[in-house]
Amino acid sequence: MTIDYSSWDHIYVSDDEDATSPYVDTPSLFRMRHRVRLEKMAEFQQRGEDLENNFAECKRLLEEAQGQLKELEDGRQEGEEDEEREAELKQVQAVVKKLKKDEKTFAKLIEEYRREEKKVPWNVDTISKEGFSKSVLNTKPVPKEETQEEKVEKHKAFVEKYATEIKHFGMLRRWDDSQKYLSDNPHLVCEETANCLVVICIDFEIDEKHALMEQVAHQAIVMQFILDLARTLKVDPRGCFRQFFSKIKTADKPYQDAFDHELELLKDRVRSCAQLRMENAMKELEEEEKQKRLGPGGNLGHLQMVSDGFHLEIQRSFDEKNIQMLQEAMNKLDFEEGKYHLKRCIDSGLWVPDSGEGDDDEEGDDEEDEEED
């Protein structure tokens, strides 16, 4: 079955662009011709609507007249004859006859109008009509402000889930490998990955794995540059990381220098953080050791008392386990000073007052002192 293309034989698409005048502004001329054509189309359409309306009105009047005529004829058959009724009957018959004639005339005019409408060439305004029109406006949802606790939980959950993949990305060296890995794992292109890489750098620096720290720091700066590019372009980072790799592969000297400068700054910050963490760890360890050396009173232990300048005679009396020497040393001191040193002995566990096992306690304490020494 062939397709009939005859309806496309006469198409008026052009706005007569070829017919221009040097004395008239060309765009104004086109607008004027277009407006004239639209006015003619509107007049032609209005004429068709008027014919349809007149034809419908004629049919309505004809139906009313025919109903009136039928009533008059029915009354005439029943024997009701008078001059007025006869005159009205003739008048209605004439109206019906005229309306039938008008109906035929309007039907003929409408048929001619439709034939003429089919012959009208198509133009840019009538060649096609939209089947439907739909407008959709994409609005960016207002982001919900996260609390600090929510951010911490989100970061912790992300790192626990993708820790292995993040470490693998941190060990990549070539640009192409990094780009391919992010293409396969676009969920890694985010702030959490950059933060996790920095933490890994600090751990490597504490373990004195400096080469690994520098490698992971390089990948952390790569991720940070991708995030900065996304913020500049106001797009999702997952949609612009390829642009970063295309740019860095052919980067000019200023851009490459900026990348290297940020890398060195990150390395310095990592070293500082690692040093601070180690110092804090040492302080905590020293504090734990100090707590272990505290006596029963919660104050200084045996070794700490000796290092803090404990009274020499009292110290010697404990070393020799000589109670008499201890009493003599205490009698030589002022009351306040003796009270002070006695309290230190009690707090450190060197002296247990009101105990019948003083000698055993002192001997045990001295053995502990020797072991700690």
Side-chain angles (χ1 to χ4, degrees), residues 12 15 30-46 123-127:
Y12 182 79
D15 277 335
F30 292 164
R31 287 195 297 270
M32 181 186 66
R33 289 172 177 168
H34 184 255
R35 185 172 63 251
V36 170
R37 188 174 70 249
L38 291 178
E39 291 175 355
K40 290 182 178 179
M41 290 171 56
E43 292 177 0
F44 182 78
Q45 185 176 1
Q46 186 62 41
N123 54 56
V124 292
D125 299 305
T126 60
I127 195 170

Side-chain angles (χ1 to χ4, degrees), residues 13-186:
V13 179
S14 173
D15 277 335
D16 293 335
E17 287 85 352
D18 297 333
T20 59
S21 173
Y23 306 104
V24 181
D25 180 58
T26 302
S28 300
L29 182 62
F30 292 164
R31 287 195 297 270
M32 181 186 66
R33 289 172 177 168
H34 184 255
R35 185 172 63 251
V36 170
R37 188 174 70 249
L38 291 178
E39 291 175 355
K40 290 182 178 179
M41 290 171 56
E43 292 177 0
F44 182 78
Q45 185 176 1
Q46 186 62 41
R47 183 161 65 91
E49 293 177 358
D50 293 341
L51 287 175
E52 293 288 347
N53 294 334
N54 293 334
F55 182 65
E57 182 66 17
C58 182
K59 290 179 67 176
R60 186 184 66 80
L61 294 175
L62 179 59
E63 290 177 359
E64 292 179 358
Q66 287 177 342
Q68 188 178 3
L69 178 61
K70 185 176 181 182
E71 292 178 359
L72 293 173
E73 289 178 349
D74 292 342
R76 184 179 180 184
Q77 292 176 359
E78 292 176 359
E80 298 178 0
E81 295 183 2
D82 55 23
E83 294 181 358
E84 292 182 2
R85 184 175 292 276
E86 288 294 331
E88 184 178 0
L89 178 62
K90 292 180 180 179
Q91 183 180 0
V92 171
Q93 289 176 345
V95 171
V96 169
K97 184 177 180 182
K98 182 179 182 303
L99 289 174
K100 287 183 178 180
K101 183 178 180 181
D102 292 342
E103 183 183 20
K104 292 181 181 178
T105 302
F106 283 125
K108 185 177 180 181
L109 290 175
I110 289 175
E111 185 179 355
E112 292 177 357
Y113 172 82
R114 290 175 179 172
R115 283 199 301 266
E116 186 178 354
E117 185 180 24
K118 291 182 179 180
K119 294 180 181 180
V120 174
W122 289 347
N123 54 56
V124 292
D125 299 305
T126 60
I127 195 170
S128 64
K129 295 181 181 179
E130 61 182 15
F132 65 92
S133 179
K134 181 179 181 182
S135 299
V136 179
L137 298 178
N138 292 330
T139 57
K140 186 177 180 181
V142 179
K144 180 184 177 182
E145 190 69 22
E146 295 181 340
T147 62
Q148 189 64 28
E149 291 77 8
E150 291 176 344
K151 292 180 180 179
V152 172
E153 289 298 325
K154 179 181 178 182
H155 175 77
K156 183 178 179 181
F158 182 87
V159 172
E160 289 178 354
K161 185 176 182 180
Y162 301 110
T164 304
E165 298 176 8
I166 294 174
K167 291 180 180 178
H168 182 81
F169 173 75
M171 297 301 170
L172 298 177
R173 296 180 179 274
R174 299 176 63 250
W175 299 118
D176 292 336
D177 293 340
S178 298
Q179 181 177 353
K180 184 178 184 304
Y181 193 75
L182 291 181
S183 299
D184 297 336
N185 303 276

Side-chain angles (χ1 to χ4, degrees), residues 130-256:
E130 61 182 15
F132 65 92
S133 179
K134 181 179 181 182
S135 299
V136 179
L137 298 178
N138 292 330
T139 57
K140 186 177 180 181
V142 179
K144 180 184 177 182
E145 190 69 22
E146 295 181 340
T147 62
Q148 189 64 28
E149 291 77 8
E150 291 176 344
K151 292 180 180 179
V152 172
E153 289 298 325
K154 179 181 178 182
H155 175 77
K156 183 178 179 181
F158 182 87
V159 172
E160 289 178 354
K161 185 176 182 180
Y162 301 110
T164 304
E165 298 176 8
I166 294 174
K167 291 180 180 178
H168 182 81
F169 173 75
M171 297 301 170
L172 298 177
R173 296 180 179 274
R174 299 176 63 250
W175 299 118
D176 292 336
D177 293 340
S178 298
Q179 181 177 353
K180 184 178 184 304
Y181 193 75
L182 291 181
S183 299
D184 297 336
N185 303 276
H187 54 274
L188 296 182
V189 187
C190 61
E191 193 76 30
E192 286 77 11
T193 299
N195 296 335
C196 183
L197 290 173
V198 174
V199 174
I200 295 174
C201 289
I202 297 175
D203 293 338
F204 280 144
E205 182 64 20
I206 292 175
D207 296 338
E208 297 184 356
K209 299 178 181 179
H210 306 298
L212 289 176
M213 182 276 289
E214 294 180 357
Q215 168 59 32
V216 178
H218 179 275
Q219 294 299 90
I221 292 298
V222 168
M223 186 59 62
Q224 193 59 51
F225 265 61
I226 293 174
L227 296 175
D228 292 342
L229 179 62
R231 281 190 287 267
T232 302
L233 300 177
K234 296 181 179 180
V235 297
D236 192 292
R238 293 170 293 183
C240 68
F241 68 88
R242 294 180 180 84
Q243 294 177 249
F244 164 75
F245 286 109
S246 300
K247 186 175 183 179
I248 196 65
K249 290 176 186 177
T250 59
D252 51 8
K253 192 174 184 303
Y255 191 78
Q256 187 64 47

Side-chain angles (χ1 to χ4, degrees), residues 3-19:
I3 301 175
D4 184 13
Y5 293 99
S6 59
S7 59
W8 297 82
D9 292 341
H10 304 285
I11 302 177
Y12 182 79
V13 179
S14 173
D15 277 335
D16 293 335
E17 287 85 352
D18 297 333

